[in-house]
Structure formats: structure tokens, C-alpha cells
Amino acid sequence: MKVKLKEEVLKDQNRSAEFNRQHFNNCNTLVINLMSSPGAGKTTLLERTIRELKGDYRIAVIEGDLATERDAERLRSLGIQTVQINTVGGCHLDARMVAKQLPNFELENIDILFIENIGNLVCPSGYDLGQDYKVVVLSVPEGNDKIPKYPVMFRRTDMTIINKIDLLPFVAFDLGEAKNDLKAIHPKCLFQALSAQTGEGFENWINWLKDVEKNV
């Protein structure tokens, strides 16, 4: 038996995404949806990014986690407005969750809004939050198999960051192989290799953010 869908399943979600996008555009706010598996280093990446940019840009964060405000507290300690969303078991943020938090921000006074999504290489890829760019972080200890095993995530992202390259001498990870796997899945996806811990390769990420912020 076939079930005929007369209405798009994600209609409300996608409507909220368009509402968010229009609001962000009206306020000239660059919005980055940051995704990864748990432990890939998203929060550490944000901490160093904030330190590099906060002297010249007004930055805010929406922090997504299943529970606790631990990562949000790390970012608040840097003097950055951070609003926590706890999904209490939900595996991703959706546009409606983000929309509910927007009244907490004066977006016209924010240059860059980072949305740190739930740690998961599957579900977050399917939900438009109204962002300008999707960025996925993959850390070298996770191994080279993640890009081919989770192609939907990498196919739907604008940039893939390979984090923790300071650990390359100690783990079996091949940057060239990762780049080739990404090119096979998504040839137009940008590729950055860096260490959020040491700062190696970080300049390219910062320069990209500065460039795209100019065009908002």
C-alpha cells in the first residue's frame, strides 16, 4: 500500500527556515551552521575563532546540545552572547527552534551568528536553519572512513574542516585521501585543514569568514 503525501512533511520547518533567512538578511548578519560528530572540536574551533575576530566583529552564538550548558558557558566566558538550546534527546536543531531564540538577539547589532548544532553526522544535514553557510568539522582521530560513510552530510555542506591536524603524526589519517573522497562526493565543497588547538592552518578559515562577511 502506497501512502500519497499531499503536503510536504517538513513544510513548517522549511517555512521557518525562510523566515529566519529573511530576518538574517534584513539585519545583514552572516549565519554559519556548524556541524560535526561529538568531540570533533566545534566548541574549541569557536573559542579560537571568537578570540581572533571579536576585536573587529560583533559575534553571537546559538549553542545546541542534548543537555547542560557547558559549551555555552565556555563561550560566554569570552564575553560573547550565547543562547542555549537543549533538545533533551533530539538529534538536531531545526529552524523552528532557532526562530524561537531570535527575539533574544539584537541581530542588527550582530555581524556573525554561529549556530553550533548537535553532535551528529546524520540528522543535522537534512535541516535548513536559514543559515548562509553550512560547515562540517571532521577530526583526524575519527578516521578516513567518515566522508564516504556519511555522504549526505558532506554533500550538503559548503565547507569541510579537517580539525586536530596536530594529531596527524599519531593517528592513521590521510589528508589527501580525505580531500579526494570529498571531491568525489561534492566537488564544489571547500576544504580546510587546521588545528583549533594550536592554530595551525587557522588563518585560511579566518580569512574565509572575513571574505564572506563582506558579502552579506
Side-chain angles (χ1 to χ4, degrees):
M1 178 180 177
K2 293 184 178 180
V3 178
K4 186 176 181 180
L5 296 177
K6 293 185 177 181
E7 196 168 351
E8 185 182 355
V9 175
L10 296 178
K11 183 177 180 179
D12 289 342
Q13 138 69 31
N14 292 336
R15 185 185 293 117
S16 293
E18 287 306 313
F19 168 84
N20 294 347
R21 182 172 290 106
Q22 187 62 50
H23 195 28
F24 297 145
N25 289 343
N26 289 343
C27 296
N28 297 317
T29 302
L30 171 67
V31 181
I32 306 293
N33 179 5
L34 197 60
M35 304 174 292
S36 79
S37 60
K42 295 191 303 298
T43 307
T44 302
L45 179 81
L46 279 178
E47 287 176 318
R48 183 174 286 273
T49 300
I50 288 165
R51 291 191 184 100
E52 294 270 355
L53 293 178
K54 72 175 185 177
D56 299 312
Y57 298 88
R58 299 164 296 179
I59 301 171
V61 178
I62 293 176
E63 177 66 43
D65 279 304
L66 273 71
T68 82
E69 295 202 10
R70 293 185 180 184
D71 289 346
E73 289 166 358
R74 288 168 59 181
L75 300 175
R76 289 173 187 145
S77 72
L78 300 176
I80 296 299
Q81 182 185 5
T82 304
V83 172
Q84 179 73 50
I85 299 176
N86 287 135
T87 62
V88 195
C91 62
H92 62 273
L93 298 181
D94 67 35
R96 291 164 292 189
M97 297 177 188
V98 172
K100 288 178 181 178
Q101 301 304 321
L102 296 187
N104 293 311
F105 298 98
E106 294 180 359
L107 283 175
E108 64 273 13
N109 295 319
I110 296 173
D111 299 312
I112 306 174
L113 174 66
F114 291 99
I115 302 173
E116 184 174 351
N117 219 311
I118 307 296
N120 187 330
L121 279 181
V122 182
C123 303
S125 66
Y127 289 82
D128 179 8
L129 305 182
Q131 73 284 312
D132 293 293
Y133 296 96
K134 287 183 176 182
V135 175
V136 62
V137 181
L138 175 68
S139 64
V140 301
E142 295 174 73
N144 275 101
D145 62 339
K146 297 301 179 291
I147 294 175
K149 285 175 68 174
Y150 298 91
V152 175
M153 170 61 79
F154 295 93
R155 190 177 295 124
R156 292 177 174 174
T157 194
D158 300 290
M159 174 186 286
T160 293
I161 291 176
I162 306 297
N163 189 25
K164 305 186 183 182
I165 60 171
D166 52 303
L167 299 180
L168 282 172
F170 312 106
V171 297
F173 190 92
D174 188 315
L175 282 176
E177 180 181 340
K179 194 169 187 177
N180 289 336
D181 285 339
L182 182 64
K183 186 176 182 181
I185 291 169
H186 184 3
K188 294 184 179 180
C189 185
L190 299 175
F191 183 91
Q192 296 280 5
L194 55 80
S195 169
Q197 189 67 43
T198 68
E200 182 182 358
F202 216 76
E203 184 177 356
N204 290 333
W205 160 244
I206 294 297
N207 288 339
W208 178 79
L209 286 170
K210 290 179 177 180
D211 287 342
V212 295
E213 195 278 336
K214 291 177 185 177
N215 297 321
V216 172

